[in-house]
Amino acid sequence: MSDPVVSFDELPTRGGGRIGVATLNAPKALNALSLEMIRLLEDRLEAWALDERVVAVWLEGTGGKAFCAGGDVVALYRSLADDEARDETFATRYFTAEYRLDHRIHTYPKPLLVWGDGIVMGGGLGLLAGGFQRVVTETTLIAMPEITIGLYPDIGASWFLNRMPPGIGAYLGLTGAQLNARDALDLGLADRFVPRERRDDLLAALAEADHGDHSPAACRLAVEGVLDRFEAREQAPEGQVWPRRDHLQSLVGETSAADAVARILADDRDDAWLTANRQRLAAGCPLTAHLVWRMLERHRHTGLADAFRDELGLSVQCCQRGDLAEGVRALLVDKDKSPRWSHADVASVPEADLQAMLASPWSSEAHPLRDLGVGQRIG
């Protein structure tokens, strides 16, 4: 019998409560998020939300290399040929379930801690971003490299990238830049730094803490009090974004996607981090660059639920009429790393193609996420 793709446990607390522990358990795939994993997490989180004994939830990945290296885009790729004759595609089911789970984490009624140790990419960042306390370590590596496969930063990134300093979110989305723990703290993607060797001690301290009357407010205070004792932010590595903030903003600025891409590609500063980002953009999907830009424009002033609804339509369109299949083929299936993008470069993407991609496949009444956010507040 194979091990479950998500394992669950409950740690007893000193006051008779429980801490729910959910562990992504697909280490060979770097805990890439499958539809089965999403559904298992959703069901257990709902059960724990209703269980008065559960005072907090801890979410982590197993294997020592990654919390979660992204969504299961290979399964999406393999589903495309089979979905042509179906009314509801696998892509619709997958992204609907993923975004519901991500939104639920953002609005979860109990303190939910995410142990963001190791690689955190794409769909993994969707799980991390909404946590009540997002804990990073010296091994944390965060990225949204969707431009390499013809997708775009989804999982609510259209909303949370807009909450970074002007231009920074766009730069990260265009280049798929890799971030460390300090960057995550600086940019609001993480709340705490704790060395990975202290993971067991931290969980034990959470179990020993006084969670009061088990009300959400009392549990949040207890969790924050424990994390205050374990916080070791001074040990986080040197940041990469903040020291370059002015330069990055000068590259992006108030311009267009095509102009921003041209500026980034023309930047010849002798800097290894900037060079890697530039190379990733140069080889990336031209259509994605425009989608990054447009989605940030569209959701500069919207709510999280609206961003997820819009992302669902666009993500499905990326599968059905965009470059996602070709990008996944080239990078992860055939692994020839020679994608044949549908456009030669960013400047040659016509407006009509962008409008077709951004058009929702559903009416507002038929949208699969039409009820998202009803009766929920972002905690």
Side-chain angles (χ1 to χ4, degrees):
M1 178 182 290
S2 60
D3 293 332
V5 291
V6 186
S7 63
F8 301 102
D9 194 8
E10 293 183 4
L11 301 181
T13 68
R14 186 179 60 168
R18 297 285 189 273
I19 295 175
V21 178
T23 305
L24 306 181
N25 189 33
K28 291 182 180 179
L30 298 179
N31 299 320
L33 198 61
S34 68
L35 183 56
E36 181 183 4
M37 294 165 77
I38 292 168
R39 288 173 170 167
L40 288 170
L41 277 171
E42 176 74 21
D43 290 346
R44 185 55 65 99
L45 286 179
E46 287 307 307
W48 280 337
L50 297 172
D51 189 338
E52 294 182 355
R53 299 173 304 165
V54 174
V55 297
V57 172
W58 174 282
L59 176 60
E60 65 180 0
T62 194
K65 293 183 179 179
F67 164 59
C68 175
D72 191 356
V73 293
V74 173
L76 280 170
Y77 169 83
R78 290 171 177 162
S79 75
L80 296 180
D82 296 334
D83 281 337
E84 291 181 357
R86 299 181 183 178
D87 293 331
E88 184 183 48
T89 66
F90 176 82
T92 299
R93 296 196 303 274
Y94 180 86
F95 287 118
T96 298
E98 182 183 22
Y99 299 166
R100 279 194 181 280
L101 174 61
D102 291 343
H103 189 268
R104 187 58 174 139
I105 291 173
H106 276 275
T107 60
Y108 202 63
K110 297 182 178 183
L112 192 156
L113 298 88
V114 185
W115 180 249
D117 183 56
I119 298 169
V120 184
M121 291 188 181
L125 185 55
L127 300 177
L128 177 76
F132 167 66
Q133 291 289 300
R134 302 157 300 175
V135 186
V136 289
T137 76
E138 67 273 19
T139 71
T140 297
L141 188 157
I142 294 176
M144 292 166 282
E146 287 82 1
I147 197 158
T148 64
I149 59 169
L151 192 58
Y152 67 98
D154 58 330
I155 46 89
S158 304
W159 180 80
F160 64 72
L161 288 179
N162 269 313
R163 277 137 188 87
M164 295 180 181
I168 300 301
Y171 179 85
L172 299 180
L174 288 171
T175 64
Q178 295 184 358
L179 309 175
N180 63 25
R182 176 70 67 184
D183 296 318
L185 294 165
D186 288 342
L187 297 174
L189 293 176
D191 304 293
R192 306 282 186 160
F193 180 90
V194 177
R196 73 182 318 187
E197 65 181 15
R198 304 218 63 194
R199 179 260 182 199
D200 292 349
D201 294 338
L202 175 55
L203 261 178
L206 289 168
E208 282 296 313
D210 180 4
H211 294 272
D213 60 1
H214 291 189
S215 67
C219 294
R220 284 192 289 268
L221 284 174
V223 167
E224 289 181 324
V226 171
L227 285 168
D228 286 344
R229 305 202 317 262
F230 282 79
E231 174 77 72
R233 190 170 294 224
E234 71 283 355
Q235 297 181 32
E238 182 180 353
Q240 301 159 114
V241 174
W242 219 248
R244 301 173 175 86
R245 181 179 57 170
D246 291 344
H247 181 64
L248 302 183
Q249 290 177 319
S250 73
L251 292 175
V252 179
E254 292 294 333
T255 179
S256 66
D259 287 344
V261 169
R263 288 183 190 179
I264 294 170
L265 295 181
D267 180 34
D268 59 358
R269 180 176 289 200
D270 185 14
D271 181 306
W273 188 75
L274 293 174
T275 298
N277 298 340
R278 186 166 61 246
Q279 291 172 345
R280 203 176 296 110
L281 173 59
C285 177
L287 183 59
T288 289
H290 283 279
L291 298 179
V292 171
W293 200 266
R294 290 297 177 90
M295 289 298 280
L296 290 177
E297 286 184 334
R298 286 157 72 100
H299 296 287
R300 190 163 294 158
H301 303 294
T302 67
L304 178 61
D306 286 332
F308 275 125
R309 274 187 281 271
D310 202 18
E311 288 178 354
L312 177 59
L314 180 54
S315 296
V316 171
Q317 296 283 36
C318 284
C319 293
Q320 295 180 343
R321 63 170 72 222
D323 285 320
L324 179 61
E326 175 60 14
V328 173
R329 179 208 66 77
L331 186 65
L332 300 173
V333 179
D334 296 339
K335 300 182 181 180
D336 57 35
K337 298 185 179 180
S338 299
R340 297 181 289 274
W341 303 124
S342 56
H343 304 88
D345 52 42
V346 175
S348 65
V349 178
E351 180 65 23
D353 288 5
L354 294 175
Q355 292 302 319
M357 292 291 294
L358 293 166
S360 175
W362 313 280
S363 66
S364 58
E365 294 80 11
H367 198 290
L369 294 178
R370 59 190 175 277
D371 62 328
L372 197 67
V374 175
Q376 294 179 336
R377 293 184 299 171
I378 298 175

